[in-house]
Amino acid sequence: MRTALFLLLVSTYLTAQSDYFQQEVSYDIQARLDEPTHTLDCDLTLRYINRAPHPLDSIYFHLWPRAFSSDETAFAQQMLRNGSTRFHFAADSLRGTLDSVDFRVGGREARFRFTNEPDIGVLYLPEPLATGATATITTPFRVRIPASFSRLGHVGQSYQITQWYPKPAVYDREGWHPMPYLDQGEFYSEFGEFRVQLTLPENYVVAATGVLQEESERQWLLDRADSTQRSLAGRKDLARRYVDELYPQASPTEKTITYVAEQVHDFAWFADKRFAVLHDTLHLSLRRGPLPPPTQQNVTPVDVWAFFTETEAELWKNSLDYIKRATRFYSEQVGTYPYPQVTGVQSALSAGAGMEYPMITVIGLSGSEYGLDEVLAHEIGHNWFYGILGSNERAHAWMDEGLNSYYEGRYTQEYYPERSGRAQIIPGREVDLDALGYRFLSRMGKDQAADTESDSLSQFNYFMGAYSKPELVLQQIEQQIGRDSLDAAFQRYYRQWQFRHPRPADFYTILGDRGAGEYMRAAMESTTVGDFNRSGQRRQGTGGLNLGLITDQEKEGPQLFVTPLIGFNANDGFLAGGALHNRTLEPKRVEFLLAPLYGFGSKSLAGFAGARYRLTRPTDWLQRVVVSAGVQRFSDFRPTAQRLDSLGLVYDYTRTAVRSEFVLEHPAITQRSSSVYTQFINLRQQRPAFTEDGELLPDAATLMTNFLRLGYRARVDRKITPVAYDLHLEYRAGDPDAFREVNNLRLDGSLEGGYLYRRGKLVTVRLYGGVFLYHTERDGATSPAYSLSLVDNAASDYRYDDLYLGRNRNGGYGQQLERRQGGFRAPIDAAFTYGRSNTYLTALNLNADLPIPLPIGMYFDAGVYGFRPTIASDPTNEFNYVAGLSVNILDDQFHLYVPLLADAITKNLLQQRGNLAERLVLTLNLTKLLPWRLIDNLP
């Protein structure tokens, strides 16, 4: 039986391998850099060998510099989705492209057309390319090098030339893989040979993929390296940060240098007249491990180069040690480094901390010796996971980033054991950021399967799915099967798939021999299936109770935290107390909070308490369900009547609420979020009670109101044209013991849109509408706080949803407004019935940031509402407006408004407040500052 099973497994494996093929390419490129125009004039000769088992009649090509040509490219659209407007608002002179192509095949004209993606084209062959046949393809091309928006680019006369030439897409057993250039999402290319000739001013220092062919140029670099070494040894002023270093004048004489590379799938080069150079040689020993070494017995010495400027030179002076150590580490753990040189370059980069290319890596600002060493190790590791093991990075980003991150973590553990991949985001407490990020997304239902196309992942999920989660999964597998067994699997993976294109299934098969393949598959291809995904939803371990201060990362066993609290409101005065809660940095399924406070002004107990239950992904169309309940009690009323004021009376309210929210699932790429909620609120307000003769009773009266709400909220967080809308249905049941019981049913909603017309400058339009479908006091002349209201102040916050510094207080406290209902930015005293309606209300709110460097804008509010001055009067339609200047403080958290223009009624009421300072409006949005509101609203 065992023999039969073994033969079946072998047969299945050989069948899977039999359909594998891999195309061959050979590039010969001549390029000339024109420094004044930042352009490359180039010629390409490409030999394309068809190894597919059938003829080809066309070849897809990537012309990725064209990604920087317009706002219509996938790159430009992705940058906006990820919140960056730098390219969108860039001048045409800073953008780039690739043009002037004239494709010929075997000297014959060939039709070439662009697809719907501006940086992808199709070359139609004059005749089908048979299996085993070679097509010689030629074309001139010109590259206009963009500013540094991503990878390809220049900063002044420092050039980062990557993804720069016409490149055929991969054609494999799955078909063609054309893909537009993206910033978030990397590449997939055919292995082959490169011969690249570069012509440029002779004082440029060039670092590149491959081996430099001109001995004179190599000697010039070695001499420069000697000079750099002597200079570094004698200098005490080396920088640890960015240095604005001048560029030398370009030499009038040009040079032509040649690089040759074999068994690589890309070619990159970097040129800068300011580069300092360091050089050494690395002699690699054969890797250790239980598996036999490669057949090569004599390891050729590897040239090790470092190129850098004055920027962070203090860190880069030791870079050769870091590069050698990382190359040796990966060689010993995974497989011997096969290339003749390895290079690290410090240069401009706008796509992360570092970026890998065959034999060479570019690093941006690092900040410290450890930061430089860590990023160099990661990017050098990509020579294995991407360079040698050429997986499809765009479709399976975890296969290069995640596998590499696992070994980068091992490197950090070995050489920086005090770091252990942890950071202190809370002083004195180390946090595992990978585990924290993964658990946060998973428990909020925001995570996506790691094995998802890069452009379909949110920015947060790209980093979690490509880097963090696979590293965490491999750490678990290491614990299950042992480090030596896992290393042996990677070494086998390396030997079997070096210079080829492995797929996820191929890696799972390697791990499957040790029982971990399905564990890895489930973790990468799902968010809910498998032991690893299930473990992310629950606390690990069953230790004893952990007590802490403020909060911490999740640990084994229950956790309980104490957090000191202070606060203030005008009715309670200074508040002090503490919070007892179980909320860790990661969300929990069940969370609770008890926060008693003492009001030194009211001399009474205040505070709040609550609990919530979170259920993640109960169905495919629900991201999560959150059921919560809470109670809060604060003082909200001090009588101002002369005969009562001297008694120092303070009255409070108690608000109890139960809420359920159903957060709907939407593809991350749509940038859409929406939810449906239900809510029940019971509000009890204590107020003075009097006898029929007007004498104050010792016991306060209690007014009780109940609210039942149903609502829907949605938003599309587009950077240029954001949209948000909501709709709410509310039933209010008044106190039957009150002087007059008032019940009503209201429907209201809002629609808000914006347009970002330049970086940091937004115009927004908000429309609001509300109507009472039923109201027992519809025909009355009174307009109490629960009426529809143009002005959103503490009085119109009749459900006590928000936090106000001074409820029912006059003076400056009335200048704190929010933007619900009519959203008028005019501090009209709540004693007036201005802007209130028992029938309907509509409002328009306009905001426009001024095109100046200061955070100043203009606003305009207008509203129409139904109004009845007296019971005997006929209803009228009132119109009011107000306009003025706004100041945006702390990124929309605080706004200051200065009303300057208004209709006659509004103007008169504003003037009654006093001078201009007393008419100012301040929006604070204090509820957004509550700690878990801030954290849970992360992407």
Side-chain angles (χ1 to χ4, degrees):
M1 181 65 183
R2 289 184 179 177
T3 302
L5 180 60
F6 173 77
L7 291 175
L8 177 62
L9 291 173
V10 171
S11 174
T12 302
Y13 172 76
L14 292 177
T15 301
Q17 291 295 301
S18 65
D19 65 348
Y20 182 88
F21 66 88
Q22 186 171 308
Q23 308 292 61
E24 295 181 33
V25 291
S26 176
Y27 296 86
D28 192 329
I29 304 174
Q30 296 83 43
R32 179 182 179 277
L33 171 66
D34 185 66
E35 183 189 87
T37 61
H38 304 302
T39 57
L40 297 172
D41 293 299
C42 311
D43 286 286
L44 165 69
T45 299
L46 171 69
R47 294 178 66 252
Y48 187 96
I49 303 175
N50 180 22
R51 299 298 186 191
H54 47 262
L56 296 178
D57 59 6
S58 59
I59 299 174
Y60 278 88
F61 271 84
H62 298 137
L63 299 96
W64 282 328
R66 294 174 59 86
F68 303 95
S69 62
S70 76
D71 293 331
E72 306 306 316
T73 67
F75 160 76
Q77 294 167 20
Q78 185 192 69
M79 293 295 281
L80 289 178
R81 283 200 303 274
N82 287 344
S84 173
T85 60
R86 184 165 169 260
F87 179 79
H88 180 81
F89 290 114
D92 289 342
S93 61
L94 299 178
R95 298 187 174 194
T97 193
L98 185 154
D99 56 25
S100 305
V101 294
D102 181 15
F103 281 95
R104 296 175 181 269
V105 180
R108 300 165 60 185
E109 292 185 0
R111 185 165 73 92
F112 182 83
R113 69 167 181 86
F114 289 101
T115 67
N116 292 333
E117 299 287 353
D119 53 347
I120 298 175
V122 183
L123 176 66
Y124 295 92
L125 303 175
E127 58 187 35
L129 184 63
T131 300
T134 300
T136 300
I137 301 168
T138 62
T139 184
F141 65 97
R142 184 180 74 110
V143 176
R144 188 169 81 241
I145 305 167
S148 182
F149 297 109
S150 183
R151 300 177 181 92
L152 169 68
H154 74 93
V155 176
Q157 297 157 24
S158 179
Y159 295 93
Q160 305 83 45
I161 310 302
T162 64
Q163 287 87 34
W164 58 286
Y165 52 90
K167 175 188 283 192
V170 170
Y171 185 72
D172 61 16
R173 49 191 160 166
E174 296 176 349
W176 285 107
H177 294 272
M179 55 186 68
Y181 178 87
L182 295 176
D183 187 75
Q184 174 189 297
E186 295 178 358
F187 313 103
Y188 186 36
S189 306
E190 302 284 14
F191 283 96
E193 302 173 350
F194 285 82
R195 183 178 183 275
V196 179
Q197 285 188 320
L198 306 174
T199 300
L200 68 174
E202 67 176 359
N203 61 335
Y204 267 93
V205 183
V206 176
T209 298
V211 177
L212 180 63
Q213 300 299 293
E214 286 77 16
E215 185 59 36
S216 59
E217 183 73 7
R218 176 181 170 86
Q219 188 59 52
W220 182 67
L221 291 177
L222 292 173
D223 291 343
R224 195 175 183 96
D226 288 340
S227 175
T228 299
Q229 194 69 58
R230 290 192 300 272
S231 173
L232 293 176
R235 288 183 59 183
K236 305 295 184 183
D237 62 340
L238 295 175
R240 300 182 65 87
R241 55 182 61 87
Y242 174 76
V243 175
D244 189 8
E245 187 180 356
L246 297 177
Y247 295 96
Q249 187 71 28
S251 170
T253 305
E254 293 185 330
K255 64 182 177 184
T256 298
I257 53 179
T258 308
Y259 290 86
V260 172
E262 298 177 349
Q263 291 187 311
V264 297
H265 48 71
D266 201 1
F267 185 95
W269 55 284
F270 305 86
D272 196 316
K273 293 168 291 194
R274 307 166 303 170
F275 274 150
V277 182
L278 291 175
H279 174 265
D280 200 350
T281 303
L282 174 63
H283 296 271
L284 290 173
S285 60
L286 295 177
R287 66 167 181 268
R288 60 176 182 259
L291 296 179
T295 57
Q296 181 182 359
Q297 297 298 317
N298 299 315
V299 178
T300 303
V302 177
D303 276 321
V304 182
W305 298 92
F307 296 76
F308 55 95
T309 64
E310 284 292 311
T311 292
E312 295 191 333
E314 174 69 18
L315 313 182
W316 277 83
K317 69 180 183 182
N318 298 318
S319 56
L320 288 180
D321 293 337
Y322 304 149
I323 297 170
K324 290 189 297 180
R325 187 164 70 182
T327 306
R328 184 180 294 110
F329 176 85
Y330 277 88
S331 293
E332 292 175 347
Q333 305 304 323
V334 183
T336 304
Y337 185 73
Y339 296 122
Q341 66 101 344
V342 58
T343 299
V345 180
Q346 178 268 311
S347 190
L349 180 67
S350 299
M355 186 64 203
E356 71 277 3
Y357 303 95
M359 306 186 215
I360 190 167
T361 180
V362 59
I363 309 295
L365 293 175
S366 302
S368 67
E369 286 84 352
Y370 166 75
L372 177 60
D373 191 4
E374 181 188 40
V375 177
L376 275 170
H378 180 90
E379 303 306 335
I380 288 169
H382 275 302
N383 279 286
W384 284 261
F385 302 106
Y386 143 84
I388 302 165
L389 298 160
S391 58
N392 185 338
E393 300 176 280
R394 183 67 59 84
H396 316 290
W398 65 270
M399 289 191 72
D400 70 297
E401 297 296 356
L403 305 190
N404 186 37
S405 292
Y406 167 71
Y407 276 102
E408 177 212 331
R410 294 258 301 267
Y411 177 91
T412 302
Q413 290 172 8
E414 183 162 338
Y415 296 107
Y416 299 91
E418 72 281 2
R419 297 270 181 169
S420 300
R422 303 173 76 87
Q424 288 193 18
I425 61 175
I426 299 176
R429 301 178 202 178
E430 290 192 336
V431 172
D432 184 337
L433 294 178
D434 290 324
L436 174 61
Y438 165 66
R439 290 174 189 162
F440 175 84
L441 287 177
S442 175
R443 295 179 187 182
M444 294 296 288
K446 296 181 179 182
D447 60 327
Q448 297 172 263
D451 196 43
T452 300
E453 287 274 352
S454 297
D455 199 32
S456 294
L457 292 167
S458 70
Q459 190 173 29
F460 207 166
N461 268 295
Y462 179 77
F463 288 105
M464 288 300 108
Y467 295 81
S468 299
K469 186 177 181 180
E471 180 183 3
L472 294 169
V473 175
L474 288 169
Q475 289 171 356
Q476 290 297 309
I477 292 175
E478 178 188 319
Q479 292 182 17
Q480 295 167 12
I481 68 175
R483 177 170 288 188
D484 289 344
S485 293
L486 185 55
D487 282 343
F490 270 98
Q491 290 160 14
R492 179 183 170 193
Y493 177 55
Y494 175 83
R495 288 200 314 275
Q496 184 170 318
W497 287 100
Q498 58 185 320
F499 310 119
R500 303 174 74 199
H501 298 309
R503 297 182 299 186
D506 303 312
F507 183 67
Y508 302 148
T509 298
I510 296 291
L511 290 181
D513 292 348
R514 289 157 178 83
E518 286 306 311
Y519 183 89
M520 188 81 186
R521 182 195 302 272
M524 293 298 97
E525 296 182 0
S526 172
T527 59
T528 57
V529 176
D531 291 342
F532 183 85
N533 288 323
R534 285 190 287 269
S535 70
Q537 292 292 326
R538 61 181 183 269
R539 186 184 69 242
Q540 304 300 300
T542 56
L545 178 65
N546 295 281
L547 297 176
L549 187 65
I550 303 178
T551 191
D552 201 350
Q553 188 164 17
E554 186 174 272
K555 297 178 180 178
E556 293 185 357
Q559 291 168 276
L560 197 60
F561 302 98
V562 176
T563 303
L565 295 178
I566 58 173
F568 171 83
N569 70 62
N571 296 300
D572 284 304
F574 176 72
L575 292 153
L580 185 69
H581 67 94
N582 73 331
R583 174 60 192 257
T584 54
L585 291 171
E586 300 98 328
K588 289 179 174 291
R589 176 164 288 191
V590 178
E591 297 170 351
F592 64 84
L593 170 71
L594 177 64
L597 297 166
Y598 181 75
F600 288 86
S602 62
K603 296 180 175 57
S604 63
L605 187 67
F608 47 93
R612 64 182 169 191
Y613 174 81
R614 182 184 291 108
L615 181 62
T616 303
R617 291 199 173 97
T619 70
D620 291 340
W621 52 274
L622 277 178
Q623 187 182 92
R624 64 183 179 276
V625 177
V626 182
V627 179
S628 56
V631 59
Q632 65 189 49
R633 179 185 184 277
F634 291 95
S635 299
D636 71 325
F637 183 69
R638 286 176 177 262
T640 57
Q642 185 174 1
R643 66 189 183 93
L644 299 178
D645 185 50
S646 60
L647 300 178
L649 299 174
V650 181
Y651 295 88
D652 58 56
Y653 75 92
T654 302
R655 181 186 189 270
T656 305
V658 178
R659 178 186 175 94
S660 59
E661 182 176 21
F662 303 84
V663 182
L664 305 179
E665 184 71 60
H666 298 285
I669 198 170
T670 66
Q671 301 176 276
R672 179 183 173 85
S673 60
S674 65
S675 65
V676 176
Y677 74 89
T678 63
Q679 185 179 35
F680 171 77
I681 301 171
N682 173 262
L683 182 64
R684 295 172 178 266
Q685 299 166 290
Q686 287 195 334
R687 292 295 182 261
F690 301 92
T691 67
E692 293 182 358
D693 298 329
E695 295 297 323
L696 179 69
L697 292 173
D699 296 325
T702 299
L703 302 178
M704 185 179 72
T705 311
N706 293 316
F707 302 92
L708 186 61
R709 291 171 54 79
L710 171 67
Y712 173 77
R713 293 190 178 98
R715 60 186 304 113
V716 183
D717 289 313
R718 294 187 295 254
K719 191 65 179 179
I720 302 300
T721 55
V723 175
Y725 47 95
D726 55 71
L727 188 65
H728 313 272
L729 182 66
E730 173 185 292
Y731 178 73
R732 178 189 188 275
D735 192 336
D737 296 329
F739 173 73
R740 174 172 281 168
E741 178 184 359
V742 179
N743 304 318
N744 58 56
L745 178 67
R746 65 187 278 173
L747 177 69
D748 61 355
S750 66
L751 170 64
E752 183 172 4
Y755 177 68
L756 192 72
Y757 68 92
R758 68 166 56 177
R759 293 188 74 183
K761 301 298 179 182
L762 183 69
V763 176
T764 62
V765 180
R766 176 179 179 266
L767 298 172
Y768 169 82
V771 61
F772 280 104
L773 304 177
Y774 164 75
H775 200 317
T776 55
E777 294 294 310
R778 182 191 303 277
D779 297 327
T782 60
S783 299
Y786 48 79
S787 300
L788 295 163
S789 177
L790 282 181
V791 180
D792 183 21
N793 51 27
S796 63
D797 181 26
Y798 58 90
R799 295 186 305 270
Y800 284 60
D801 290 332
D802 285 331
L803 300 178
Y804 286 87
L805 295 175
R807 286 185 181 273
N808 299 304
R809 299 300 294 270
N810 296 322
Y813 295 112
Q815 294 174 255
Q816 180 190 347
L817 305 182
E818 299 301 336
R819 202 182 63 167
R820 290 167 306 200
Q821 302 193 75
F824 256 49
R825 285 152 289 187
I828 306 301
D829 195 291
F832 297 106
T833 59
Y834 169 88
R836 296 182 190 170
S837 174
N838 292 333
T839 54
Y840 80 93
L841 184 148
T842 61
L844 168 70
N845 309 121
L846 298 176
N847 302 271
D849 295 328
L850 295 176
I852 59 177
L854 298 175
I856 297 175
M858 300 183 299
Y859 76 92
F860 174 77
D861 300 324
V864 177
Y865 57 96
F867 181 65
R868 185 189 292 270
T870 65
I871 295 178
S873 315
D874 291 329
T876 62
N877 297 313
E878 297 294 313
F879 172 75
N880 298 112
Y881 71 88
V882 64
L885 296 177
S886 64
V887 181
N888 184 357
I889 306 169
L890 295 182
D891 193 25
D892 281 332
Q893 182 58 54
F894 305 116
H895 273 94
L896 183 69
Y897 297 97
V898 185
L900 299 175
L901 299 174
D903 65 273
I905 295 174
T906 306
K907 181 179 180 180
N908 178 56
L909 294 174
L910 285 171
Q911 289 175 342
Q912 292 186 42
R913 288 198 61 87
N915 59 36
L916 182 62
E918 293 172 309
R919 303 175 204 163
L920 299 178
V921 172
L922 183 65
T923 63
L924 300 177
N925 207 350
L926 295 175
T927 53
K928 285 183 64 176
L929 295 178
L930 295 175
W932 303 128
R933 288 273 188 101
L934 290 171
I935 292 176
D936 287 350
N937 287 332
L938 287 172

